[in-house]
Amino acid sequence: MQLEKSAAFSDFLAFMEGRGILSPEAAKRARNAYGSTDHPADTVLIELGLTRETDLAGHMATFFGLPVAERIPDELETALIQKVGFGFLESNHVLPLALTDDRLTVGVADPFAHAAVDILGYQFEREPELRVFPRSAIAERIRQLKQASLEALEERPQEAGGEIDADDIERLRDFAREAPVIRFVSQMIQQAVDRGATDIHVEPAADHMRIRFRRDGLLSVAETAPRTMHAGVATRIKILSRLNIAERRLPQDGRMRIAVRGQEIDLRVSVLPSVHGETFVLRILDKTGVALSLDALGYDAPSIARFRTLAHIPNGIVLITGPTGSGKTTTLYSVLKERDPDSVKIFTVEDPVEYRLDGITQLQVDPAIDLTFARALRSVLRQDPDVILVGEIRDRETAQIAIQASLTGHLVFSTLHTNSAAGALTRLLDMGIDGYLIGATIRAVVAQRLVRRLCPQCGGAAVVQGGEPCGRCRGSGYAGRTVTYEIMEITPELGSMISRGASEEQLVEHARRSGVLSIEDHAAGLAASGITTREEVQRVLELRRA
């Protein structure tokens, strides 16, 4: 076959030479290059600079006695393209143009290469008829068709009852394996880690895809990409997270691990369908960037001493409260590190397990198989634990089991999504927990938030000498975050008030009289000492301006 190709190409060079298009020396160079490489015929002639690409297509058509085609038709049969597959078209630079009862018209860049054309003829059971086009024109049309196919795939799940079939799934896999998609996802994650981001948001819009990073609690746009990148990026993320790439109408949750500059980074992945396609949030769980110590979080020495005391009490419940992203889980992990895992049995029940801790047994809940917090907690209690961390108390059943565990000699740490320490106590009452049980088992409630620190390099000025934006804080004036908090220990008097059904306002008033420093006052102290600013405190705590 190779001899036949070489002979045919030699005849073509003689044809070009006879027409005065190539000199004898140029024809010899082309003949030698073609015989010593495996490059296509058109590539050899173009790379040697012997003719222009558009002219070459016409010369080849004339030599083979084919109609000279000026351009690829605007409308092509989608069914033909999908049946062949973009991978085959791209690797061979061929393009099915039309199918009739007795003939298949195929656009080619190299009419001397018969293997790909013969495969198409066999697949469609038709005699192929060639049309020669410049290689770049075929590549561009394949790219356009692929883009249109992506857009069609993006729209299909929004239709009533729309499903993705096996062919579509394979096409999605092909898109996700492409170098630009792989590079985009890898660079996106690497850039987020380099910037110290905690979350990556991948958000499709009507005509583009937006990438945003959350850093120090605030979101900012990192970059935008063409809308057609979304399907490939979405599939790539799903494959890495071991999610179902065919499911695009229901939320999904997963996890991935990826190497960034030689360091393994875990990411928690959440997928949610939206009107413009699936939106992704990737939570970066970088253990190297999180110091699991109360001192590193920003707790002062007296507060750390109180935490250490709470970490060693024999039984009871300690709650950390605050909104999502306020560092509750990190604080709980830091408290757990105050205990020696060799001398006590420590369990965690989480959704999901964010950081792996040595010497501690960690369990991840999975509602899909009915492994809820309550069910997992019941099972843990049969494992002879000393200390239990419950990721979150979400319902009455979980709260009741946690209280039962504390009454039977276990120390329980958990979180609640409330705005204040006193609010956690009334939240438990709202769940239906009896006040006397709350007063008897809760040992302390900690409310916390994270506020941005003033940049140590520019002092919050956001610029350095010469008026350039500060490289440390990227011109924001802030770098890193610290914790602001209040610690409400449940004294016998406070416990008695809870048992009697005191209101949240009454509990707060009693705590203040007892010397509990409010989170607002603590944050104001941080601003007064120059650690943060009044504006940042007001943003985080939503305080009214004085």
Side-chain angles (χ1 to χ4, degrees):
M1 182 65 72
Q2 183 62 37
L3 290 174
E4 293 179 7
K5 285 175 57 179
S6 298
F9 185 65
S10 183
D11 290 343
F12 174 66
L13 293 177
F15 165 80
M16 296 276 281
E17 186 179 347
R19 291 199 165 197
I21 301 170
L22 293 180
S23 67
E25 294 77 13
K28 183 178 180 180
R29 287 173 58 205
R31 189 176 294 107
N32 292 337
Y34 189 70
S36 61
T37 69
D38 58 356
H39 293 321
D42 61 305
T43 302
V44 169
L45 291 166
I46 298 303
E47 288 186 353
L48 289 175
L50 301 179
T51 182
R52 293 190 306 175
E53 188 181 38
T54 52
D55 295 338
L56 178 59
H59 297 323
M60 285 183 169
T62 302
F63 173 75
F64 281 99
L66 302 174
V68 177
E70 295 184 358
R71 59 196 300 271
I72 299 173
D74 293 330
E75 299 295 331
L76 297 178
E77 296 183 32
T78 305
L80 297 181
I81 305 299
Q82 293 181 351
K83 186 173 181 179
V84 176
F86 288 107
F88 182 85
L89 301 181
E90 288 176 317
S91 60
N92 293 284
H93 280 83
V94 295
L95 195 60
L97 302 176
L99 183 68
T100 62
D101 292 339
D102 60 351
R103 196 166 298 278
L104 170 70
T105 305
V106 182
V108 299
D110 179 12
F112 296 95
H114 300 289
V117 175
D118 291 342
I119 290 172
L120 290 177
Y122 178 80
Q123 183 176 10
F124 289 99
E125 299 179 341
R126 299 289 193 280
E127 182 68 25
E129 182 177 281
L130 303 186
R131 296 290 185 272
V132 185
F133 298 99
R135 183 172 293 267
S136 61
I138 292 179
E140 174 60 19
R141 176 51 61 87
I142 293 173
R143 187 196 68 78
Q144 294 172 353
L145 292 167
K146 199 171 186 180
Q147 183 172 337
S149 178
L150 269 173
E151 293 173 352
L153 277 176
E154 286 282 279
E155 293 297 327
R156 190 172 304 169
Q158 308 303 321
E159 300 170 0
E163 297 180 355
I164 300 180
D165 58 27
D167 290 338
D168 289 339
I169 292 174
E170 193 54 41
R171 278 194 288 155
L172 284 172
R173 290 187 186 277
D174 288 341
F175 296 145
R177 295 188 190 107
E178 290 187 343
V181 171
I182 294 174
R183 186 166 54 250
F184 183 91
V185 172
S186 178
Q187 290 178 348
M188 175 183 73
I189 296 173
Q190 180 176 300
Q191 188 180 33
V193 172
D194 289 346
R195 292 189 183 183
T198 56
D199 301 89
I200 303 169
H201 292 244
V202 180
E203 302 165 326
D207 57 356
H208 67 279
M209 178 175 66
R210 181 173 65 171
I211 308 298
R212 293 197 291 171
F213 296 159
R214 187 180 295 279
R215 180 174 179 268
D216 291 340
L218 295 181
L219 280 169
S220 61
V221 177
E223 64 178 304
T224 58
R227 181 68 171 82
T228 51
M229 284 287 290
H230 180 258
V233 170
T235 305
R236 175 69 179 167
I237 293 174
K238 285 184 178 181
I239 290 173
L240 292 174
S241 308
R242 295 180 176 84
L243 298 176
N244 183 1
I245 66 173
E247 179 55 72
R248 294 206 260 170
R249 291 171 292 175
L250 294 174
Q252 296 189 71
D253 295 296
R255 194 179 184 114
M256 75 166 76
R257 175 171 291 182
I258 190 169
V260 176
R261 303 193 188 283
Q263 179 68 43
E264 292 289 331
I265 302 294
D266 288 324
L267 297 102
R268 190 179 73 196
V269 179
S270 174
V271 189
L272 188 71
S274 71
V275 293
H276 293 301
E278 290 173 307
T279 180
F280 292 75
V281 176
L282 286 67
R283 169 66 57 89
I284 300 172
L285 307 175
D286 180 11
K287 288 184 288 187
T288 63
V290 178
L292 296 179
S293 73
L294 295 168
D295 178 67
L297 286 170
Y299 282 97
D300 59 24
S303 298
I304 293 174
R306 294 167 74 183
F307 267 119
R308 285 175 176 157
T309 300
L310 292 169
H312 288 83
I313 59 178
N315 57 70
I317 300 175
V318 178
L319 296 174
I320 311 290
T321 74
T324 300
S326 58
K328 300 186 297 297
T329 302
T330 305
T331 298
L332 287 178
Y333 283 154
S334 301
V335 175
L336 284 185
K337 291 190 69 175
E338 298 294 329
R339 299 297 298 263
D340 178 11
D342 292 334
S343 60
V344 292
K345 182 72 171 182
I346 303 176
F347 274 92
T348 73
V349 181
E350 306 171 69
D351 181 22
V353 174
E354 294 195 6
Y355 302 103
R356 268 63 169 182
L357 303 177
D358 293 335
I360 294 176
T361 304
Q362 296 175 271
L363 176 64
Q364 181 164 313
V365 303
D366 188 352
I369 58 173
D370 198 31
L371 183 59
T372 61
F373 274 112
R375 187 170 183 179
L377 191 50
R378 285 196 193 93
S379 299
V380 165
L381 289 174
R382 293 193 286 270
Q383 292 280 313
D384 188 30
D386 297 296
V387 181
I388 305 171
L389 184 155
V390 182
E392 182 184 350
I393 294 178
R394 296 178 177 176
D395 50 44
R396 179 182 179 183
E397 186 179 13
T398 305
Q400 287 176 324
I401 299 171
I403 286 175
Q404 178 188 350
S406 68
L407 291 172
T408 54
H410 304 89
L411 176 57
V412 179
F413 293 96
S414 191
T415 70
L416 273 175
H417 284 280
T418 60
N419 292 323
S420 65
L425 304 173
T426 55
R427 174 79 177 108
L428 291 173
L429 288 171
D430 292 340
M431 286 183 180
I433 306 301
D434 292 330
Y436 74 92
L437 289 175
I438 298 173
T441 57
I442 304 297
R443 298 289 181 261
V445 183
V446 180
Q448 73 174 48
R449 303 287 192 281
L450 294 175
V451 295
R452 291 180 295 169
R453 288 177 173 271
L454 282 173
C455 176
Q457 182 165 307
C458 67
V463 294
V464 293
Q465 288 183 346
E468 293 294 326
C470 173
R472 175 73 178 273
C473 65
R474 297 181 181 273
S476 69
Y478 299 93
R481 290 189 290 177
T482 190
V483 67
T484 183
Y485 56 90
E486 65 177 281
I487 302 176
M488 179 186 290
E489 296 188 59
I490 308 303
T491 62
E493 295 82 2
L494 200 56
S496 177
M497 291 179 64
I498 297 169
S499 300
R500 297 195 304 269
S503 66
E504 184 174 335
E505 290 75 13
Q506 291 171 323
L507 296 176
V508 170
E509 183 181 350
H510 178 83
R512 299 295 174 264
R513 289 200 307 267
S514 302
V516 175
L517 183 68
S518 71
I519 190 172
E520 291 84 2
D521 290 339
H522 181 269
L526 294 178
S529 61
I531 295 175
T532 186
T533 63
R534 177 181 173 83
E535 290 74 20
E536 174 66 3
V537 168
Q538 182 167 334
R539 181 188 70 82
V540 173
L541 297 180
E542 299 180 349
L543 300 178
R544 288 180 295 178
R545 294 186 182 274

